[in-house]
């Protein structure tokens, strides 16, 4: 009798294991490429050169602004001296 129960239990287990496996296989969702590529060495050098050029232009502009400020100060001092001479005379 025990052999019949074991056989029946195994048959029931196999029956339940086989049933309900009707699920449709999921389609793979398209994956997006999230890898980050690093710039090539030449592009990095070009970017560095452009940055250096921009820095040099900024320094030149700062020098020109300083020269213009000095000229404006000289002109203001000259105008002040001329006004003082005219008022004193």
């Amino acid at each position: 009798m025990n052999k019949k129960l074991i056989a029946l239990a195994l048959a029931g287990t196999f029956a339940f294991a086989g049933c309900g496996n009707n699920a449709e296989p999921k389609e793979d969702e398209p994956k997006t490429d999230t890898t980050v590529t690093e710039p090539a060495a030449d592009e990095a050098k070009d970017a560095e050169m452009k940055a250096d050029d921009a820095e040099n232009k900024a320094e030149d502009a700062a020098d020109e602004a300083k020269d213009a400020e000095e000229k404006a100060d000289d002109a203001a001092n000259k105008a002040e001296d001329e006004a003082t001479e005219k008022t004193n005379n």
Side-chain angles (χ1 to χ4, degrees):
M1 180 83 178
N2 285 339
K3 290 183 182 181
K4 288 183 182 179
L5 288 175
I6 292 174
L8 186 59
L10 283 174
T13 304
F14 286 128
F16 283 119
C19 293
N21 195 8
N22 296 333
E24 296 288 327
K26 291 184 180 178
E27 292 183 23
D28 290 338
E29 294 180 13
K31 295 181 179 178
T32 57
D33 187 17
T34 58
T35 57
V36 177
T37 58
E38 296 198 20
D42 291 339
E43 292 176 1
K45 286 181 183 178
D46 289 343
E48 185 178 352
M49 289 175 61
K50 287 180 182 179
D52 288 342
D53 289 344
E55 183 180 0
N56 289 338
K57 287 180 182 179
E59 288 175 357
D60 291 344
D63 289 342
E64 288 177 11
K66 193 172 188 179
D67 290 343
E69 181 183 7
E70 288 175 359
K71 286 181 182 178
D73 285 343
D74 290 344
N77 288 338
K78 184 177 179 182
E80 185 180 349
D81 289 343
E82 288 176 0
T84 304
E85 279 184 28
K86 286 183 181 179
T87 56
N88 287 339
N89 285 337

